[in-house]
Amino acid sequence: MRRFRSAFLSLLFLMLFLVPQVGMAALNDNRPGAKPAAAITSLKATALSQTKLSGNNQLINVRWLVHKDAVEGTSKLRLVIDTKDAVRVSSKLDGTKGSQLVIDINGAAVGNVNDLVDLDGKIADKVRFIKKDNTNSQVIVDLSTMIEDSDYKVFTLKSDAINNKTFRVVIDVNQVVPKVEYNFTAGLRNKVIAIDPGHGGSDPGAIGPNKLQEKTVTLAVAQKVQALLEKAGAKVLMTRKTDVDVFGPNASAVDELNARTLGANNNKADVFVSLHINAFTSPSVGGTATYYYQKSNYDILLANCIQDNLVKTGGLQDRGINAAGFYVIKKTKMPSVLAELGFISNPDEEKLLSTPQFQQKLAQGIVQGLDDFFAQAARKGGGL
Amino acid sequence: MFGKRIALISMLLMLSMILGGCDTAAPQSPTVPNVQNENSQTGIEPGKTVNPGQDTMTMTVYFATKDAANLISEKYVVPKNSHPAQTAMELLIAGTKNPDLVAVFPAGTKLRNISVKDHIAYVDFNDSLVKNNKGGSALEILLVGAIVNTLTEFHDIQKVQILVEGKKIDTISGHMDIGEPLSRSEKIIKKSK
C-alpha cells in the first residue's frame, strides 16, 4: 500500500514537470510563493527533479534569506542549494538533538560548499553539510525552535538556462511564532479587556466624504463598548479615553502604536480589541472586516466571534477575517483583533457610522462577540 | 542621482529581461485578458512607441481589485531601457486604465529614487505617499502589497524597503509595520482562473 502511494506520488510529480506551464512557474525561485512541488506537501518523502542522475554531480553553492510577507507579517527562511545536476531529496524532522531538519540528497557529493553556514538565528541557527560518499550528501538545518511537518517544504527545481540558474534544492521553513496557550473561563465578569480606539489627537485617521473623522467614530464606539462591558462586570482598559494621541502629539508612529500595546501587556489584559474604520479610493466599497495575527491559540477564534457578531448587529457586508501583520495586534501578547467596522469612504456607511444608534449596534456586536469568545474558548480549553 | 552600482544593477536587470524570463519569452498571457497594453500610454516614455522590431520589455504591475480585497497583475510591453525597476514603479504610480482595477497611490506621489543592494530594493517616494494618503487599512495593505509585489517580479529583487523623502518610515497610515524590508505576499494576489 505504501509502495503504491509513493509510486503514485512520484508519477504525479513527474507529470507536473512534464507540463510546461508548471515548469515555467518553477523558474523563479525568488518568490517565497513559487510553487513547483510546493503544491504537493506529502512529497517530503521523495522529490525527484529528474529520473536520471549523473555521475560527478555535486553541491555548488548555498544561499539563504529570511523573507517577511509584506501583508501578513509572517517570516520564512528560504535556503537554496545549487547543484550541478539533478538530485533526489528526502527530508525529515529530528527532535532528538534539539530541533533539526535533516535533508538527504541522493545523486550529489558535498563538493566544495562550506561544511557550516551560519544563519541569523531567527528561524534557524546554522546549516551543516555532511559528506556521505560520492553520490550522497546530507544537509542538517539546526532550527531555533521546534516545528511541525506542515511548517517546512523541501523541493527541487530544474536548471534554467535562460535565467542562468542551475539545478536547485529549495528548503523553506516558516517562522513558528511560539503560540502562547491561554485558558479562559466563560463569561465577561472579571475579565480584563483592552479596548483601543484607533487614531486620535493629531491623527484623525481616515476622513469621509462628509468630513466625518475615523478617530471620532472609534472613540464613540469604544466608549459604548466600555459601558456595556463594565455593566457585565468586566474590567476595561481604554488605550485612550478622549481625543488624544496615546503617546503624545508629534510622537513617532512606532511610539504611538507601541504605547497602545504597552498598557494591555503590562496589565495582563485577557484580550485586546482595536477599533478602526476602513477607507478606500472608490466610494462604493463597504463592509466589515476583522484582522488577526496568529500568536496565541485563540487569535482566530476571537476574530471569528467578533466578526460574526459585528456583521449580525451592524448588518454591513461581511468581508471576513484576514491575517495581517498590523503593529498593535502583533505586539500585544494576548489574543487580539483589529476590527474595521465599516468604510468611512462610503457615504452610506459614513452616515450610519456617525449616528449613536448604529455605534451602539456595533458596540453590542463587539460585546456579544467577546461573550461568545469566552464561552467557546472555555469549552475548547476546558477553562480553569 | 543614480550611482554606478545602480546603473550596473539596472543593466543586469535589463540583461535578464533581454535574455527573457518566462514572461518575455512566452506568448503573452496577461492575467486580465483585455488589458494587454501594447504601449505604455502613460507618459513614461514620451514620444516613444513600440515599433515592430523594436526591443521591448514586459513589466508586471499590480493594481487593486474594485472591491479592495485583492491585487491583480497587469502586463505592460514597453520599449526596453536600462532602468526597468524604475519603469515598473512609474507604471504603478501612473495607474491603470482598466475599469475593473483601481490604482492605490495617493495623489501627487512621485518616485524619488530606486536602488538595489544585496537583493533589497530601496524605493524612495516623496511625502505625498503619507500626507495625501486617505487612511484605511485596506488601502495601506493594497498600497504596500502593490509596491512590494511589483518590484519582486524582478529576479534580482527579493525584498523591498519603502522610504519616504530618503528615510525609513514605521507605517504609512498607522496600521502596518513597514520599518524593515518586506517580501512578496502571494495570498493577496487574485489569480486568474
Coordinates of all heavy atoms in Angstrom, one line a residue, chain B residues 65-131:
Chain B
T65 N -8.2 45.3 -6.9 CA -9.5 45.0 -7.4 C -10.5 46.0 -6.9 O -10.2 46.6 -5.9 CB -10.0 43.5 -7.0 OG1 -9.8 43.4 -5.6 CG2 -9.1 42.5 -7.6
K66 N -11.6 46.1 -7.6 CA -12.6 47.2 -7.2 C -13.2 47.0 -5.8 O -13.6 48.0 -5.2 CB -13.7 47.3 -8.2 CG -13.4 48.2 -9.4 CD -14.6 48.7 -10.1 CE -15.5 47.6 -10.7 NZ -16.4 48.1 -11.7
D67 N -13.2 45.8 -5.3 CA -13.7 45.6 -4.0 C -12.7 45.7 -2.9 O -13.0 45.4 -1.7 CB -14.4 44.2 -3.9 CG -13.3 43.1 -4.2 OD1 -12.1 43.4 -4.4 OD2 -13.7 41.9 -4.1
A68 N -11.5 46.2 -3.3 CA -10.4 46.5 -2.3 C -10.0 45.3 -1.6 O -9.5 45.3 -0.4 CB -10.9 47.6 -1.3
A69 N -10.2 44.1 -2.2 CA -9.8 42.8 -1.4 C -8.5 42.2 -1.9 O -7.8 41.5 -1.2 CB -11.0 41.8 -1.6
N70 N -8.2 42.5 -3.2 CA -7.0 41.7 -3.8 C -6.2 42.6 -4.7 O -6.6 43.7 -5.1 CB -7.5 40.5 -4.6 CG -8.1 39.5 -3.7 OD1 -9.3 39.4 -3.6 ND2 -7.3 38.7 -3.1
L71 N -5.1 42.1 -5.1 CA -4.3 42.7 -6.2 C -4.4 41.8 -7.4 O -4.4 40.6 -7.3 CB -2.8 42.8 -5.8 CG -2.5 43.7 -4.6 CD1 -1.0 43.5 -4.2 CD2 -2.7 45.2 -5.0
I72 N -4.3 42.4 -8.6 CA -4.3 41.6 -9.9 C -3.1 42.2 -10.7 O -2.9 43.4 -10.7 CB -5.6 41.7 -10.6 CG1 -6.7 40.8 -9.9 CG2 -5.5 41.4 -12.1 CD1 -8.0 40.7 -10.7
S73 N -2.4 41.4 -11.4 CA -1.3 41.9 -12.2 C -1.8 42.3 -13.6 O -2.7 41.7 -14.1 CB -0.2 40.8 -12.3 OG -0.6 39.7 -13.1
E74 N -1.1 43.3 -14.1 CA -1.3 43.8 -15.5 C 0.0 43.8 -16.1 O 1.0 44.1 -15.5 CB -1.9 45.2 -15.5 CG -3.4 45.3 -15.6 CD -3.8 46.7 -16.0 OE1 -3.2 47.7 -15.5 OE2 -4.7 46.8 -16.8
K75 N 0.0 43.4 -17.4 CA 1.3 43.3 -18.1 C 1.4 44.5 -19.1 O 0.4 44.9 -19.7 CB 1.5 42.0 -18.8 CG 1.6 40.9 -17.9 CD 2.4 39.7 -18.5 CE 2.3 38.5 -17.6 NZ 3.0 38.6 -16.3
Y76 N 2.5 45.2 -19.1 CA 2.8 46.3 -20.0 C 4.0 46.0 -20.8 O 5.1 45.6 -20.3 CB 3.1 47.5 -19.2 CG 1.9 48.1 -18.5 CD1 1.4 47.6 -17.3 CD2 1.1 49.2 -19.0 CE1 0.3 48.1 -16.6 CE2 0.0 49.7 -18.4 CZ -0.4 49.1 -17.2 OH -1.5 49.6 -16.6
V77 N 3.9 46.1 -22.1 CA 5.0 46.0 -23.0 C 5.6 47.3 -23.3 O 4.8 48.2 -23.9 CB 4.7 45.2 -24.3 CG1 5.9 45.0 -25.2 CG2 4.1 43.8 -23.9
V78 N 6.8 47.6 -22.9 CA 7.3 49.0 -23.1 C 8.7 48.9 -23.8 O 9.3 47.8 -23.8 CB 7.5 49.7 -21.8 CG1 6.1 49.9 -21.1 CG2 8.4 49.0 -20.8
P79 N 9.1 50.0 -24.5 CA 10.4 50.0 -25.1 C 11.5 49.6 -24.0 O 11.4 50.1 -22.9 CB 10.6 51.4 -25.6 CG 9.2 52.0 -25.7 CD 8.4 51.3 -24.6
K80 N 12.4 48.9 -24.4 CA 13.5 48.5 -23.5 C 14.3 49.7 -23.0 O 14.6 50.6 -23.8 CB 14.4 47.4 -24.1 CG 15.3 46.7 -23.2 CD 16.1 45.7 -23.8 CE 15.2 44.6 -24.4 NZ 15.9 43.8 -25.4
N81 N 14.6 49.7 -21.7 CA 15.5 50.8 -21.3 C 16.4 50.2 -20.2 O 16.4 49.0 -19.9 CB 14.7 52.0 -20.7 CG 13.9 51.6 -19.5 OD1 14.3 50.7 -18.7 ND2 12.7 52.2 -19.4
S82 N 17.3 51.0 -19.6 CA 18.3 50.5 -18.7 C 17.8 50.5 -17.3 O 18.6 50.2 -16.4 CB 19.6 51.3 -18.8 OG 19.2 52.7 -18.6
H83 N 16.6 50.9 -17.0 CA 16.1 51.0 -15.6 C 14.7 50.4 -15.5 O 13.7 51.2 -15.2 CB 16.1 52.5 -15.2 CG 15.6 53.4 -16.2 ND1 14.2 53.6 -16.3 CD2 16.2 54.2 -17.1 CE1 14.1 54.5 -17.3 NE2 15.2 54.8 -17.8
P84 N 14.6 49.1 -15.7 CA 13.2 48.5 -15.7 C 12.5 48.6 -14.4 O 11.3 48.8 -14.4 CB 13.5 47.1 -16.1 CG 14.9 46.8 -15.9 CD 15.6 48.1 -16.1
A85 N 13.2 48.5 -13.3 CA 12.5 48.6 -12.0 C 11.9 50.0 -11.8 O 10.8 50.1 -11.3 CB 13.5 48.3 -10.8
Q86 N 12.7 51.0 -12.2 CA 12.1 52.3 -12.1 C 10.9 52.5 -13.0 O 9.9 53.1 -12.6 CB 13.2 53.3 -12.5 CG 12.8 54.8 -12.4 CD 13.7 55.7 -13.1 OE1 14.9 55.4 -13.3 NE2 13.3 56.9 -13.4
T87 N 11.0 51.9 -14.2 CA 9.9 52.0 -15.1 C 8.6 51.3 -14.6 O 7.5 51.8 -14.6 CB 10.3 51.4 -16.5 OG1 11.4 52.1 -17.0 CG2 9.1 51.4 -17.5
A88 N 8.9 50.1 -13.9 CA 7.7 49.4 -13.3 C 7.1 50.2 -12.3 O 5.8 50.3 -12.2 CB 8.2 48.1 -12.8
M89 N 7.9 50.9 -11.4 CA 7.3 51.8 -10.4 C 6.5 52.9 -11.0 O 5.5 53.3 -10.5 CB 8.4 52.3 -9.5 CG 8.7 51.6 -8.3 SD 7.3 51.2 -7.2 CE 7.1 49.5 -7.5
E90 N 7.1 53.5 -12.1 CA 6.4 54.6 -12.7 C 5.1 54.2 -13.3 O 4.1 54.9 -13.2 CB 7.3 55.3 -13.7 CG 8.4 56.1 -13.1 CD 9.6 56.5 -14.0 OE1 9.7 55.9 -15.1 OE2 10.4 57.4 -13.6
L91 N 5.1 53.0 -13.9 CA 3.8 52.5 -14.4 C 2.8 52.3 -13.3 O 1.6 52.6 -13.4 CB 4.0 51.2 -15.1 CG 4.7 51.2 -16.5 CD1 5.2 49.9 -16.9 CD2 3.8 51.8 -17.5
L92 N 3.3 51.8 -12.1 CA 2.4 51.6 -11.0 C 1.8 52.9 -10.5 O 0.6 53.0 -10.2 CB 3.2 50.9 -9.9 CG 2.5 50.5 -8.6 CD1 1.4 49.6 -8.8 CD2 3.4 50.0 -7.5
I93 N 2.7 53.9 -10.4 CA 2.2 55.2 -9.9 C 1.2 55.8 -10.9 O 0.2 56.5 -10.5 CB 3.4 56.1 -9.6 CG1 4.2 55.6 -8.4 CG2 2.9 57.6 -9.3 CD1 5.5 56.3 -8.2
A94 N 1.5 55.6 -12.2 CA 0.7 56.2 -13.2 C -0.8 55.7 -13.2 O -1.7 56.3 -13.6 CB 1.3 56.0 -14.6
G95 N -0.9 54.5 -12.6 CA -2.3 53.9 -12.5 C -2.7 53.1 -13.7 O -1.9 52.9 -14.6
T96 N -3.9 52.6 -13.7 CA -4.4 51.7 -14.8 C -5.6 52.3 -15.5 O -6.3 53.1 -14.9 CB -4.8 50.4 -14.1 OG1 -5.4 49.6 -15.1 CG2 -5.7 50.5 -13.0
K97 N -5.8 51.9 -16.7 CA -7.0 52.3 -17.5 C -8.1 51.2 -17.4 O -9.2 51.4 -17.9 CB -6.6 52.6 -18.9 CG -5.7 53.8 -19.1 CD -5.7 54.3 -20.5 CE -5.1 55.7 -20.5 NZ -4.3 55.9 -21.7
N98 N -7.7 50.1 -16.8 CA -8.7 49.0 -16.7 C -9.8 49.4 -15.8 O -9.5 49.6 -14.6 CB -7.9 47.8 -16.2 CG -8.8 46.6 -16.2 OD1 -10.0 46.7 -16.2 ND2 -8.2 45.4 -16.1
P99 N -11.0 49.5 -16.2 CA -12.1 49.9 -15.4 C -12.4 48.9 -14.2 O -13.0 49.3 -13.2 CB -13.3 50.0 -16.3 CG -13.0 49.1 -17.5 CD -11.5 49.2 -17.6
D100 N -11.9 47.7 -14.3 CA -12.1 46.7 -13.3 C -11.0 46.8 -12.2 O -11.1 46.1 -11.2 CB -12.1 45.3 -13.8 CG -13.3 45.0 -14.7 OD1 -14.3 45.7 -14.5 OD2 -13.1 44.3 -15.7
L101 N -10.0 47.6 -12.4 CA -9.0 47.7 -11.4 C -8.8 49.2 -10.9 O -9.3 50.1 -11.5 CB -7.6 47.3 -12.0 CG -7.6 45.8 -12.4 CD1 -6.2 45.5 -13.0 CD2 -7.8 44.9 -11.2
V102 N -8.2 49.3 -9.7 CA -8.1 50.6 -9.1 C -6.6 50.9 -8.7 O -5.9 50.0 -8.2 CB -8.9 50.6 -7.8 CG1 -8.9 52.0 -7.1 CG2 -10.4 50.2 -8.0
A103 N -6.2 52.1 -9.0 CA -4.8 52.5 -8.6 C -4.9 52.9 -7.1 O -5.9 53.4 -6.7 CB -4.4 53.6 -9.4
V104 N -3.8 52.6 -6.4 CA -3.9 52.9 -4.9 C -2.9 53.9 -4.5 O -2.9 54.2 -3.3 CB -3.7 51.6 -4.2 CG1 -4.9 50.7 -4.3 CG2 -2.4 50.8 -4.6
F105 N -2.2 54.6 -5.4 CA -1.3 55.6 -4.9 C -2.0 56.9 -4.6 O -2.8 57.4 -5.3 CB -0.2 55.8 -6.0 CG 1.0 54.9 -5.8 CD1 1.0 53.7 -6.3 CD2 2.0 55.3 -5.0 CE1 2.1 52.9 -6.1 CE2 3.1 54.5 -4.8 CZ 3.2 53.3 -5.3
P106 N -1.6 57.5 -3.5 CA -2.2 58.8 -3.1 C -1.8 59.9 -4.2 O -0.7 59.8 -4.8 CB -1.5 59.2 -1.8 CG -1.0 57.9 -1.2 CD -0.7 57.0 -2.4
A107 N -2.6 60.9 -4.4 CA -2.4 61.9 -5.4 C -1.0 62.6 -5.1 O -0.6 62.8 -4.0 CB -3.5 63.0 -5.3
G108 N -0.3 62.9 -6.2 CA 0.9 63.6 -6.1 C 2.1 62.8 -5.7 O 3.2 63.3 -5.6
T109 N 1.9 61.5 -5.5 CA 3.1 60.6 -5.2 C 4.1 60.6 -6.3 O 3.7 60.4 -7.5 CB 2.7 59.2 -4.8 OG1 1.7 59.3 -3.8 CG2 3.9 58.4 -4.3
K110 N 5.3 60.8 -6.0 CA 6.4 60.7 -7.1 C 7.5 59.8 -6.6 O 7.8 59.7 -5.4 CB 7.0 62.1 -7.3 CG 6.0 63.0 -8.1 CD 6.8 64.2 -8.7 CE 5.9 64.9 -9.7 NZ 4.7 65.5 -9.0
L111 N 8.1 59.1 -7.5 CA 9.2 58.3 -7.2 C 10.4 59.2 -7.1 O 10.7 59.9 -8.1 CB 9.4 57.2 -8.3 CG 10.5 56.2 -8.1 CD1 10.3 55.3 -7.0 CD2 10.8 55.4 -9.4
R112 N 11.2 59.1 -6.0 CA 12.4 60.0 -5.9 C 13.6 59.2 -6.4 O 14.5 59.7 -7.1 CB 12.6 60.4 -4.5 CG 11.5 61.4 -4.0 CD 11.8 61.7 -2.5 NE 12.9 62.7 -2.4 CZ 13.9 62.6 -1.6 NH1 14.1 61.5 -0.9 NH2 14.8 63.5 -1.5
N113 N 13.6 57.9 -6.0 CA 14.8 57.2 -6.3 C 14.5 55.7 -6.1 O 13.6 55.3 -5.4 CB 16.0 57.6 -5.4 CG 17.3 57.1 -5.9 OD1 17.4 56.5 -7.0 ND2 18.4 57.3 -5.1
I114 N 15.3 54.8 -6.8 CA 15.2 53.4 -6.6 C 16.6 52.8 -6.7 O 17.2 53.1 -7.7 CB 14.1 52.7 -7.4 CG1 14.0 51.2 -7.0 CG2 14.3 52.9 -8.9 CD1 12.7 50.6 -7.5
S115 N 17.0 52.0 -5.8 CA 18.3 51.4 -5.9 C 18.2 50.0 -5.4 O 17.3 49.7 -4.6 CB 19.3 52.2 -5.1 OG 19.0 52.2 -3.7
V116 N 19.1 49.1 -5.8 CA 19.0 47.7 -5.3 C 20.4 47.4 -4.8 O 21.4 47.6 -5.4 CB 18.7 46.8 -6.5 CG1 18.6 45.3 -6.0 CG2 17.4 47.1 -7.1
K117 N 20.4 46.9 -3.5 CA 21.6 46.4 -2.9 C 21.4 45.1 -2.2 O 20.4 45.0 -1.4 CB 22.1 47.5 -1.9 CG 23.5 47.3 -1.4 CD 23.8 48.3 -0.4 CE 25.2 47.9 0.3 NZ 25.4 48.6 1.5
D118 N 22.2 44.1 -2.4 CA 22.1 42.8 -1.8 C 20.6 42.3 -1.9 O 20.0 41.8 -1.0 CB 22.4 42.9 -0.3 CG 23.9 43.2 -0.1 OD1 24.7 43.0 -1.0 OD2 24.2 43.8 1.0
H119 N 20.1 42.4 -3.1 CA 18.7 41.9 -3.4 C 17.6 42.6 -2.7 O 16.5 42.1 -2.7 CB 18.6 40.4 -3.1 CG 19.6 39.5 -3.9 ND1 19.6 39.4 -5.3 CD2 20.7 38.9 -3.5 CE1 20.6 38.7 -5.6 NE2 21.3 38.3 -4.6
I120 N 17.9 43.7 -2.1 CA 16.9 44.5 -1.5 C 16.7 45.8 -2.3 O 17.7 46.5 -2.5 CB 17.2 44.9 0.0 CG1 17.4 43.6 0.8 CG2 16.2 45.8 0.6 CD1 17.9 43.9 2.3
A121 N 15.5 46.1 -2.7 CA 15.2 47.3 -3.4 C 14.9 48.4 -2.4 O 14.1 48.2 -1.5 CB 14.1 47.1 -4.4
Y122 N 15.5 49.5 -2.5 CA 15.2 50.7 -1.7 C 14.4 51.7 -2.6 O 15.0 52.2 -3.5 CB 16.5 51.3 -1.1 CG 17.2 50.4 -0.2 CD1 18.1 49.4 -0.6 CD2 17.0 50.5 1.2 CE1 18.7 48.5 0.2 CE2 17.6 49.6 2.1 CZ 18.4 48.6 1.6 OH 19.0 47.7 2.4
V123 N 13.1 51.8 -2.3 CA 12.3 52.6 -3.2 C 11.8 53.8 -2.4 O 11.2 53.7 -1.3 CB 11.2 51.7 -3.8 CG1 10.3 51.1 -2.7 CG2 10.3 52.6 -4.7
D124 N 12.2 55.0 -2.9 CA 12.0 56.2 -2.2 C 11.0 57.1 -2.9 O 11.1 57.4 -4.0 CB 13.4 56.9 -2.2 CG 13.4 58.2 -1.3 OD1 12.4 58.4 -0.6 OD2 14.3 59.0 -1.4
F125 N 9.9 57.4 -2.1 CA 8.8 58.3 -2.6 C 8.9 59.6 -2.0 O 9.5 59.8 -0.9 CB 7.5 57.6 -2.4 CG 7.3 56.3 -3.0 CD1 7.5 55.1 -2.2 CD2 7.0 56.1 -4.3 CE1 7.4 53.8 -2.8 CE2 6.9 54.8 -4.9 CZ 7.0 53.7 -4.1
N126 N 8.2 60.6 -2.6 CA 8.1 61.9 -1.9 C 7.0 61.8 -0.8 O 6.3 60.7 -0.7 CB 7.7 63.0 -2.9 CG 6.3 62.9 -3.5 OD1 5.7 61.8 -3.3 ND2 5.9 63.9 -4.2
D127 N 6.8 62.8 0.0 CA 6.0 62.6 1.2 C 4.5 62.6 0.9 O 3.7 62.4 1.8 CB 6.3 63.6 2.3 CG 6.1 65.1 1.9 OD1 5.6 65.3 0.7 OD2 6.5 66.0 2.6
S128 N 4.1 62.8 -0.3 CA 2.7 62.6 -0.7 C 2.2 61.2 -0.4 O 1.0 61.0 -0.1 CB 2.5 62.9 -2.2 OG 2.8 64.2 -2.5
L129 N 3.1 60.3 -0.4 CA 2.7 58.9 -0.1 C 2.0 58.8 1.3 O 1.1 58.1 1.4 CB 3.9 58.0 -0.1 CG 3.7 56.5 0.0 CD1 3.2 55.9 -1.3 CD2 4.9 55.7 0.5
V130 N 2.5 59.6 2.2 CA 1.9 59.6 3.6 C 0.9 60.8 3.7 O -0.2 60.5 4.2 CB 3.0 59.8 4.6 CG1 2.5 59.9 6.0 CG2 4.0 58.6 4.6
K131 N 1.3 62.0 3.3 CA 0.5 63.1 3.5 C -0.9 63.1 2.8 O -1.9 63.5 3.3 CB 1.2 64.4 3.1 CG 2.3 64.8 4.1 CD 2.8 66.2 3.9 CE 3.7 66.6 5.1 NZ 4.7 67.5 4.6

